[in-house]
Amino acid sequence: MKNLGLVFFPAFDWLISPGHPEREERLLYTRDQLVEEGIFDLPCIKEYRPRLAEICDLQRAHIGVPNIGKLITPAHLTSAGGCLVAADAVMKGETKKAFALVRPPGHHAMRVVHGIRGFCTINIEAIMVEYLRSAYGVKRIAVIDTDVHHGDGSEDVFYHDPNTLYISFHQDGRTLYPGTGFVEEAGTPGAWGTNINLPLLPSTGDEGLHRLYDNLIARILDEFKPDIIVNSAGQDNHFSDPLASMNVTAQGYASLNKKINADIAVLEGGYSVEGALPYVNTGIILAMAGLDYSQVLEPDRSDLRHQDKRCNERVDELVTQVGRLWDERDITREKLLKACGNTFSRKKNIYYDEEGIREQQIETIHYCNDCEGYMSIKTDATNTRFGSQNAYIIVLHRGICPKCRQVAYDKALQAKKGRQAQYVLVQDIETGIIEEL
Amino acid sequence: MLLGIDVGGTYTDAVLIKDKVILAQGKSTTTHGEVLKGILAVLDKVLENQPVETIERVVISSTIVTNALTEGKTSPVDLIVMPGPGMNIKTSFPIEPQIITGYVDHRGKITAPAGTKEVQVKEKNVAISGKFSVRNPENEHLLANTIKEKAEKIFLGSELSGELNFIRRTNSAYYSATVADTFDDFCKHIENSLKERNITAPVQILKADGGTLPITAIQKQPVDSIFTGPAASVLGIMALTPPKVNCISFDVGGTTTDIAFWENGKPLLAKNGASINGYPTAARAFHMRSVGIGGDSIIRKESGGFTVGPERFGPSMAVGGTKPALADALVVLKLVDYGNYDKACEALKQFADANETVEEVAKKVLEVALVTIEKVIAEMLYEWSIQPVYTVDDVVKGTEFVPSEIIGVGGGATGLIDALGDRLNLSTSIPTGGMVANAIGAALAKPTLSASLRADTTEGFYIIPESDIHERIPSGFGLAKATDILEKELDKKCAELGISKQKAEVIASEYFHTMHSYYEVGEIIYLRMQLQPGILFPIEGREVVF
Ligand SMILES: [Zn+2]
Ligand SMILES: [Zn+2]
């Protein structure tokens, strides 16, 4: 078995718009570096090409309005497909680990999709996580997001799922897009404590990051006992990134990756396309392949500063505060569930920065003693490329009991009859089939 | 008149071609360890009574580099590398390298100058290679200059390949340096021997990519003349019966079967260079595989069943050999008609169980050979199908190779083709081939040359690493202008090397709008052009009887 399966897909013909950070040459210099290093010839690495994901793969994680097919391009099917290929390589035992070094990225895409947010239309990790469950029956999955931005899309998809641990460290939302990702966002009652946000102060570097990992993240990952660990390997914590203000180096990223020991890594953001990506990606690939990465250094380190002394203080606060939250998760969960009864609702205002879409959402979880239950979502969006649109959505969780299924369907039919929404949709997470009533 | 010589593992062949007709052909046994001896023997056969002064060109396809490596006729080399930061490369090369400071980044900027004071040269032959030297060869040149008094033969990575891949360029430089003495010696002997026979025509050497180069040029890159047998075989097929549809060709020789893929009448080139002893190099070759199955492949019966090849112990028993070989099975099944049928039956009889006929044994043997070949074809199809794709367009369209026909050449092909076609569900054809197809391929091979241009308009320069050109970008620059510049450069190189001017084709191109900050806009253009491998003209007739 080879050490690492590598799906490298730079999408040289895909961009969001001219001049956008998500443009054709984002991985050009990375490609040059990897080819020049001879990475693709290494006997311990097996290269894979991406395949096109199917619509049902997307629909296990997403409900597109009016439908997901109208919102994506073949590029999205390819980057999602690249993640599925990486998952297959690991699950079929062809390689020990896999890295989907693909674009377009996905961690800002939420469950309901009306358009593009934060460079993302579909959430490629979430699609992969649901695929791991449907295709391979994997139960417990940990996703650790090392992008500098809070992965609000991933949080949204995993928020109610006690079997998915989502850990995101990021530059504090008060200083960076998307402005969320605070400690208090820890999951809905049934999944309290499996959404871990770790907002860091700007200028945090390798030192602070590893302090956080060693003193907190490592323990949480360990205690969650995941069957599979996924790394959302964003690289914009790098000191040269133009969109953020952190001080992490290629060495910092590579050694963190080694500690995380992820089964599958997926590229997310990172927009220092010349000064960071070639080196961070080389470092991560070598670390995942079990090779020596100690010589991977940026030739230009003039932008690297020492982290502010308050950075470690923030880290220590997080270690205490989130450590307690994690330790008390079972008691808190019980308390919250008791308080909310059979249903839990949350209201969300979502802004799609790429397209200026405003969405209002009410998401209600219906708990059941016999099964995972179901969810109902009312979504209302203005300024989409289809104008204003709204939908009533029922989400059937895996292994839903016949009784819940019946109740859920009745709700959908009622909504249809009462013309409560333009679109009435029923999503079956297990199969990825969405029925429009 | 064109003279072609092919040194194979078993035989050395030569042909003389005039006006698209084969005038003479000859065969001699390849003498192990003495390649030259076989060449001279066959030369004297073919040139008998021929007007040697009308020979316009001599092309040699030989195993000299392969043999030098397998027989250890190599010279010690100082391998000096400038890897800079990155992967640990201590064990990436056939010998331990001398690691020197010096680094060029991916945009060709020197971030650390070559550590000229650190270099220690002990050997006469030196290979020098730096990471990203194709983006800027200055550090390599600086080192070469520093040691030029101490070393005799210096090979630079940037001169061996204009393409990215530091490890492959370094290995190419190393192997070139280590076989250089043996190769130069061989070239000198060839030139002298031809002179003695009054042949003054230019001598060219075949490369693995199916193209030729004059001796003086190939001496700067001897590693590229490794594995030329399969290339000669492909060119031979092109000369005798160029395939028209997408197809798979298999050339069954004495010890091996060479398999190649064809698209629109052209053999496919491998996307990566060949590997030598497991070390990847930049030496380009066709997308081909040699399988150890040939007419003379020995048959053995083991506990798990029959095995065929990869060894050969002389000819099959049907033609006077002493050990049963694959050809005997083909004779028994009446799939080929040569040699002595009874001898072939006798050869297989020793394997027959009680109540088993020799035909049944032959069928089992044939099955083993077919399974082996089929497996390799499947692997080649898979390798082609997983080659990286970098654009959405390629993913959507797919880049699979879909053959519609399989063609067989060489002595044993008739015996295998129908069964192989059935298994692969492809139509079959057997061109009326020659027994000296490889030598014909060599005789008619066109020269190949390639060069690449990379322009970065924000830097304001373009480079052509193969020619060590680093020039300011002229006004009105774009893809068209870049093509024009590169075409002219290839023309110039043809003139320098004394090879006829040919139209170069673009084999790779990339074009990017770049932004280095929010307002600074530039372009990156990458272009690679090649005089494509091929033949000067197809054979239309022959004066000799095969
Ligand atoms: Zn990001
Ligand atoms: Zn239920």
Side-chain angles (χ1 to χ4, degrees):
Chain A
M1 198 196 321
K2 300 219 174 189
N3 286 354
L4 179 66
L6 182 57
V7 189
F8 180 62
F9 182 68
F12 283 155
D13 54 352
W14 181 83
L15 74 167
I16 288 184
S17 57
H20 195 285
E22 253 324 325
R23 59 181 183 272
E24 299 100 317
E25 86 272 21
R26 187 174 157 225
L27 291 176
L28 174 64
Y29 310 101
T30 297
R31 189 274 313 261
D32 288 355
Q33 191 76 33
L34 299 183
V35 173
E36 179 67 359
E37 296 277 0
I39 294 275
F40 297 106
D41 296 325
L42 289 172
C44 59
I45 291 179
K46 182 171 179 187
E47 196 181 357
Y48 290 87
R49 67 156 72 178
R51 60 175 148 99
L52 290 166
E54 312 265 335
I55 289 291
C56 68
D57 293 321
L58 274 46
Q59 292 189 159
R60 283 192 207 99
H62 292 295
I63 304 106
V65 186
N67 65 60
I68 202 73
K70 285 200 168 157
L71 295 159
I72 54 156
T73 66
H76 298 106
L77 294 176
T78 311
S79 76
C83 296
L84 304 187
V85 168
D88 286 337
V90 170
M91 296 311 295
K92 287 182 180 158
E94 290 174 4
T95 63
K96 286 186 196 154
K97 294 175 179 178
F99 184 14
L101 219 179
V102 299
R103 55 185 289 269
H107 79 150
H108 295 300
M110 299 188 167
R111 184 187 300 275
V112 177
V113 183
H114 289 277
I116 313 173
R117 318 183 56 244
F119 314 171
C120 308
T121 304
I122 54 170
N123 193 313
I124 55 180
E125 287 91 345
I127 289 165
M128 184 175 79
V129 162
E130 296 304 340
Y131 176 76
L132 283 167
R133 295 218 163 94
S134 288
Y136 297 102
V138 180
K139 193 158 184 225
R140 290 177 80 74
I141 298 174
V143 178
I144 165 142
D145 191 327
T146 54
D147 192 282
V148 76
H149 301 98
H150 172 228
D152 53 351
S154 300
E155 172 174 299
D156 183 71
V157 181
F158 302 135
Y159 210 56
H160 326 293
D161 180 0
N163 291 314
T164 307
L165 170 68
Y166 179 67
I167 304 176
S168 174
F169 62 77
H170 41 263
Q171 188 177 319
D172 196 309
R174 278 168 290 223
T175 62
L176 190 68
Y177 179 88
T180 51
F182 299 101
V183 172
E184 301 71 32
E185 303 159 27
T188 40
W192 181 262
T194 56
N195 193 81
I196 304 283
N197 280 320
L198 302 162
L200 300 170
L201 288 183
S203 105
T204 303
D206 295 353
E207 190 196 336
L209 205 57
H210 281 267
R211 191 181 179 99
L212 180 67
Y213 188 86
D214 297 341
N215 295 325
L216 181 71
I217 300 176
R219 176 168 80 88
I220 295 177
L221 265 181
D222 189 45
E223 289 174 12
F224 180 74
K225 295 192 174 59
D227 301 317
I228 290 280
I229 298 176
V230 175
N231 178 11
S232 273
Q235 302 171 6
D236 31 17
N237 280 293
H238 193 265
F239 64 82
S240 66
D241 197 89
L243 303 187
S245 324
M246 304 296 257
N247 267 314
V248 178
T249 66
Q251 275 300 308
Y253 260 120
S255 52
L256 181 72
N257 180 281
K258 192 181 176 188
K259 286 182 186 172
I260 294 172
N261 196 18
D263 301 285
I264 308 166
V266 175
L267 176 71
E268 276 299 332
Y271 298 94
S272 171
V273 300
E274 289 183 49
L277 266 55
Y279 311 106
V280 177
N281 280 309
T282 303
I284 291 178
I285 289 169
L286 294 178
M288 289 189 86
L291 297 170
D292 176 14
Y293 56 81
S294 63
Q295 299 305 308
V296 180
L297 299 168
E298 302 81 352
D300 180 5
R301 298 187 132 206
S302 53
D303 291 338
L304 180 62
R305 283 149 298 141
H306 196 73
Q307 68 173 31
D308 193 282
K309 73 173 192 320
R310 286 171 310 158
C311 294
N312 278 354
E313 289 165 18
R314 167 65 73 88
V315 166
D316 294 343
E317 279 164 37
L318 287 168
V319 170
T320 314
Q321 189 189 359
V322 177
R324 195 184 309 128
L325 184 151
W326 172 253
D327 290 332
E328 294 170 354
R329 66 192 183 282
D330 288 337
I331 309 160
T332 317
R333 212 176 280 183
E334 219 169 285
K335 221 190 293 175
L336 290 170
L337 277 172
K338 207 175 248 171
C340 76
N342 288 333
T343 61
F344 177 85
S345 281
R346 62 169 182 158
K347 247 194 201 158
K348 287 182 283 182
N349 290 310
I350 300 156
Y351 181 60
Y352 292 62
D353 55 318
E354 296 293 339
E355 300 186 81
I357 301 168
R358 286 185 191 280
E359 181 192 0
Q360 285 199 323
Q361 218 187 82
I362 301 171
E363 199 178 43
T364 307
I365 308 156
H366 304 261
Y367 296 110
C368 169
N369 288 328
D370 302 326
C371 73
E372 305 266 322
Y374 65 96
M375 231 172 6
S376 55
I377 302 169
K378 282 178 81 171
T379 170
D380 223 308
T382 55
N383 203 28
T384 78
R385 46 191 115 147
F386 314 100
S388 291
Q389 56 180 19
N390 57 64
Y392 181 82
I393 301 159
I394 289 287
V395 178
L396 306 176
H397 287 141
R398 284 197 170 76
I400 188 167
C401 71
K403 208 175 109 200
C404 285
R405 182 180 282 270
Q406 190 59 53
V407 175
Y409 259 100
D410 285 347
K411 279 218 169 82
L413 286 167
Q414 228 171 15
K416 177 76 188 167
K417 238 189 240 160
R419 296 203 176 129
Q420 285 175 30
Q422 234 174 311
Y423 305 100
V424 176
L425 308 167
V426 180
Q427 177 202 29
D428 184 326
I429 289 190
E430 178 67 28
T431 60
I433 292 169
I434 292 181
E435 203 180 324
E436 189 185 342
L437 299 185
Chain B
M1 221 158 51
L2 301 169
L3 175 62
I5 300 165
D6 174 64
V7 184
T10 319
Y11 298 109
T12 299
D13 297 330
V15 289
L16 207 51
I17 296 168
K18 190 191 179 188
D19 299 334
K20 303 190 178 179
V21 169
I22 298 167
L23 269 191
Q25 65 169 83
K27 221 179 219 345
S28 72
T29 314
T30 302
T31 327
H32 208 65
E34 288 172 288
V35 169
L36 196 68
K37 210 167 140 189
I39 294 180
L40 298 182
V42 78
L43 215 51
D44 292 334
K45 266 189 216 170
V46 172
L47 297 179
E48 214 184 327
N49 302 323
Q50 298 291 351
V52 292
E53 61 285 354
T54 63
I55 294 176
E56 298 148 66
R57 189 183 77 157
V58 181
V59 177
I60 300 165
S61 156
S62 85
T63 51
I64 190 75
V65 171
T66 318
N67 290 356
L69 290 168
T70 53
E71 292 162 10
K73 287 182 186 163
T74 50
S75 312
V77 170
D78 276 321
L79 176 60
I80 303 167
V81 297
M82 293 172 283
M87 203 164 79
N88 184 336
I89 45 81
K90 276 199 192 99
T91 57
S92 299
F93 315 115
I95 60 166
E96 195 181 322
Q98 212 182 109
I99 299 173
I100 300 292
T101 49
Y103 192 66
V104 173
D105 75 4
H106 53 78
R107 294 192 67 179
K109 200 171 115 195
I110 293 180
T111 58
T116 47
K117 294 208 174 79
E118 303 159 35
V119 188
Q120 290 189 356
V121 177
K122 287 187 227 75
E123 310 297 346
K124 290 191 312 179
N125 295 5
V126 179
I128 296 174
S129 183
K131 206 175 278 173
F132 283 113
S133 65
V134 289
R135 293 277 157 89
N136 185 346
E138 230 175 279
N139 272 347
E140 283 185 4
H141 288 166
L142 210 64
L143 273 189
N145 255 327
T146 316
I147 61 160
K148 70 170 183 265
E149 259 80 63
K150 290 180 209 150
E152 261 175 43
K153 295 174 185 173
I154 304 174
F155 293 86
L156 304 185
S158 58
E159 286 177 356
L160 278 149
S161 160
E163 289 181 79
L164 290 176
N165 201 319
F166 167 62
I167 306 287
R168 285 179 182 271
R169 289 195 311 272
T170 308
N171 284 331
S172 273
Y174 166 76
Y175 280 118
S176 288
T178 196
V179 301
D181 294 333
T182 303
F183 189 77
D184 291 349
D185 209 39
F186 172 75
C187 291
K188 201 171 77 197
H189 277 107
I190 286 281
E191 282 181 316
N192 288 341
S193 311
L194 289 171
K195 237 175 255 162
E196 281 165 20
R197 286 159 181 78
N198 293 321
I199 299 170
T200 51
V203 186
Q204 299 187 346
I205 303 283
L206 192 71
K207 297 179 293 170
D209 73 356
T212 65
L213 273 185
I215 279 189
T216 47
I218 195 77
Q219 280 176 318
K220 291 180 187 153
Q221 53 193 79
V223 70
D224 290 341
S225 70
I226 200 165
F227 306 136
T228 57
S233 139
V234 160
L235 295 167
I237 294 171
M238 250 178 151
L240 293 166
T241 30
K244 285 176 190 69
V245 291
N246 286 4
C247 68
I248 297 171
S249 68
F250 72 108
D251 181 352
V252 187
T255 36
T256 57
T257 293
D258 293 335
I259 302 164
F261 287 5
W262 300 70
E263 202 167 61
N264 305 319
K266 281 183 182 170
L268 293 178
L269 278 166
K271 292 267 151 72
N272 282 318
S275 283
I276 301 174
N277 299 334
Y279 293 96
T281 75
R284 284 303 169 115
F286 290 111
H287 181 58
M288 287 190 80
R289 287 274 291 274
S290 274
V291 201
I293 297 270
D296 299 344
S297 293
I298 189 163
I299 302 171
R300 287 197 189 90
K301 193 178 183 182
E302 284 163 3
S303 54
F306 285 101
T307 62
V308 180
E311 305 91 338
R312 168 190 190 269
F313 286 94
S316 64
M317 285 175 71
V319 287
T322 54
K323 296 208 166 151
L326 177 62
D328 294 320
L330 301 179
V331 171
V332 165
L333 293 170
K334 301 204 164 93
L335 289 167
V336 294
D337 180 22
Y338 74 83
N340 185 316
Y341 175 79
D342 294 333
K343 283 257 171 67
C345 290
E346 200 182 302
L348 295 198
K349 204 173 257 167
Q350 54 175 300
F351 298 119
D353 295 331
N355 304 328
E356 200 177 25
T357 64
V358 283
E359 281 80 12
E360 282 164 339
V361 171
K363 274 186 189 155
K364 284 183 185 165
V365 169
L366 179 63
E367 173 83 11
V368 170
L370 290 169
V371 166
T372 311
I373 294 173
E374 194 187 358
K375 196 173 144 239
V376 171
I377 291 176
E379 281 168 14
M380 287 176 70
L381 283 167
Y382 175 72
E383 272 168 31
W384 195 259
S385 75
I386 57 152
Q387 290 187 78
V389 285
Y390 290 159
T391 62
V392 178
D393 198 44
D394 278 344
V395 175
V396 174
K397 282 190 196 142
T399 55
E400 272 73 18
F401 174 74
V402 185
S404 57
E405 193 179 75
I406 181 156
I407 59 174
V409 287
T414 43
L416 301 172
I417 188 145
D418 286 335
L420 209 50
D422 278 350
R423 282 165 171 272
L424 297 167
N425 199 19
L426 295 173
S427 64
T428 59
S429 80
I430 295 222
T432 46
M435 296 299 283
V436 288
N438 287 21
I440 295 171
L444 297 174
K446 283 187 188 173
T448 54
L449 263 186
S450 67
S452 52
L453 181 150
R454 185 175 187 277
D456 190 334
T457 63
T458 26
E459 303 278 301
F461 287 93
Y462 71 83
I463 51 167
I464 302 176
E466 290 85 351
S467 307
D468 192 22
I469 289 175
H470 184 259
E471 289 279 345
R472 191 159 276 288
I473 288 172
S475 62
F477 191 78
L479 204 54
K481 184 80 185 165
T483 314
D484 197 46
I485 291 172
L486 195 54
E487 223 166 3
K488 288 216 173 82
E489 178 53 30
L490 279 168
D491 285 350
K492 201 177 114 203
K493 269 196 144 173
C494 283
E496 276 170 21
L497 294 171
I499 55 184
S500 53
K501 201 166 127 177
Q502 291 170 64
K503 179 119 186 73
E505 283 178 48
V506 175
I507 52 172
S509 84
E510 285 177 359
Y511 179 89
F512 289 95
H513 274 290
T514 60
M515 286 183 56
H516 300 293
S517 63
Y518 280 109
Y519 31 85
E520 194 186 347
V521 178
E523 286 166 340
I524 287 179
I525 291 173
Y526 174 78
L527 200 61
R528 184 165 185 76
M529 294 179 80
Q530 190 191 31
L531 307 186
Q532 297 272 56
I535 48 159
L536 298 169
F537 48 78
I539 290 293
E540 286 174 356
R542 43 182 74 94
E543 287 191 357
V544 289
V545 184
F546 290 104

